[in-house]
Amino acid sequence: MTSDAAYDAPTGDETVDGAVGRLREVGELPLREQVAVFEAVHAALQDRLAETED
């Protein structure tokens, strides 16, 4: 498993940092809730990427 340091390393983009930071909570959640977090992080990262393509 990846260390928490990987989630704390800033990317320089507040939206990306916030999304990736949410991954810290995944290990403590039931599987169904983990999926929801992964989907939310994925959506946030996709949205941010789409913003940069405009």
Side-chain angles (χ1 to χ4, degrees):
M1 176 158 239
T2 308
S3 73
D4 283 347
Y7 304 128
D8 293 331
T11 64
D13 186 296
E14 190 173 308
T15 302
V16 172
D17 293 342
V20 173
R22 291 198 59 202
L23 296 175
R24 269 190 230 108
E25 68 189 64
V26 170
E28 306 298 319
L29 298 173
L31 182 58
R32 191 175 303 260
E33 292 179 35
Q34 289 180 14
V35 173
V37 171
F38 288 134
E39 288 175 343
V41 169
H42 184 248
L45 294 175
Q46 280 186 312
D47 289 347
R48 183 64 184 113
L49 183 60
E51 290 172 7
T52 63
E53 293 176 348
D54 290 337

